[in-house]
Amino acid sequence: KNEVEQSPQNLTAQEGEFITINCSYSVGISALHWLQQHPGGGIVSLFMLSSGKKKHGRLIATINIQEKHSSLHITASHPRDSAVYICAVDKTSGSRLTFGEGTQLTVNP
Amino acid sequence: DADVTQTPRNRITKTGKRIMLECSQTKGHDRMYWYRQDPGLGLRLIYYSFDVKDINKGEISDGYSVSRQAQAKFSLSLESAIPNQTALYFCATSGVPGQGAANQPQHFGDGTRLSIL
């Protein structure tokens, strides 16, 4: 079993819908990262969090350390949000990440 | 200009060839990483370097070697390429964790798509 599991693997939504992507992990962590991979392949860091909740524009990330679970929410989704969203964890503070397999999000107009 | 630059962006080569992928960064970060990405497997760490004199194997280092020529440059070599090394390769950098910031985000290059025939 992977140490980092994401669900769903694939998600299709209509423009304007509220989207949730989930990440569960089975190890102790110092931080959890959410990354976005564009269709062209480039990867961008969206959030890094170790507790609570962070918000940036229409994106919200939450983490529950006790339950070892994080969610990424997108409000008022738009076709430009179509990408692969990747969850990764820092098992130590040494910046060696362990990655989930990613969630492919497609937002249709 | 990109903060983390990978060259080449695409490469097609034959089995047995030696290949070097290069990564340079202008972020002033000490820490650099090489990952490969395969469909259905996610990103996996090949090698990482926490400074010029510190190089470490990741989870899938067999068949690869690295060189940290300077703080800004970290190269990945495939000494004798084989088809199952066909993948998308990413270089990334991060700053050193410090007081009040136990973790740092990683900054990725645009990737190198490598095909080995």
Side-chain angles (χ1 to χ4, degrees), chain A residues 30 37 41 48 90 94-95 101, chain B residues 33 37 40 50 90 103 106:
Chain A
S30 57
Q37 185 169 21
M48 183 181 68
D90 263 313
S95 294
E101 293 179 12
Chain B
Y33 311 82
Q37 186 180 39
F50 282 178
F90 287 97
N103 300 87
Q106 293 195 7

Side-chain angles (χ1 to χ4, degrees), chain A residues 2 9 30-31 33 35 37 39-45 47-48 50 84 86 90-102, chain B residues 9 31 33 35 37 40-45 48 50 57-59 88 90 94-95 97 102-111 113:
Chain A
N2 292 339
Q9 285 188 300
S30 57
H33 303 248
L35 309 167
Q37 185 169 21
I43 297 173
V44 175
S45 178
F47 295 103
M48 183 181 68
S50 54
V84 175
I86 301 169
D90 263 313
K91 293 193 284 187
T92 69
S93 58
S95 294
R96 293 176 57 191
L97 298 181
T98 300
F99 296 83
E101 293 179 12
Chain B
R9 292 294 315 280
R31 298 184 171 196
Y33 311 82
Y35 298 98
Q37 186 180 39
L41 291 179
L43 287 151
R44 292 181 291 166
L45 181 64
Y48 64 103
F50 282 178
K57 292 182 178 181
E59 54 185 301
L88 186 54
F90 287 97
S94 69
N103 300 87
Q104 297 287 343
Q106 293 195 7
H107 301 264
F108 288 79
D110 288 335
R113 192 169 297 277

Side-chain angles (χ1 to χ4, degrees), chain B residues 23-95:
Chain B
C23 177
S24 63
Q25 52 117 346
T26 58
K27 299 193 71 70
H29 287 163
D30 285 325
R31 298 184 171 196
M32 298 186 74
Y33 311 82
W34 275 106
Y35 298 98
R36 67 177 276 177
Q37 186 180 39
D38 299 275
L41 291 179
L43 287 151
R44 292 181 291 166
L45 181 64
I46 305 171
Y47 270 95
Y48 64 103
S49 170
F50 282 178
D51 66 39
V52 174
K53 296 180 181 178
D54 177 72
I55 292 178
N56 304 280
K57 292 182 178 181
E59 54 185 301
I60 54 163
S61 58
D62 287 348
Y64 301 93
S65 62
V66 291
S67 172
R68 184 83 184 264
Q69 301 94 324
Q71 186 205 39
K73 296 184 182 294
F74 192 36
S75 300
L76 176 72
S77 293
L78 288 67
E79 296 300 326
S80 179
I82 56 177
N84 74 2
Q85 292 176 312
T86 293
L88 186 54
Y89 289 83
F90 287 97
C91 174
T93 75
S94 69

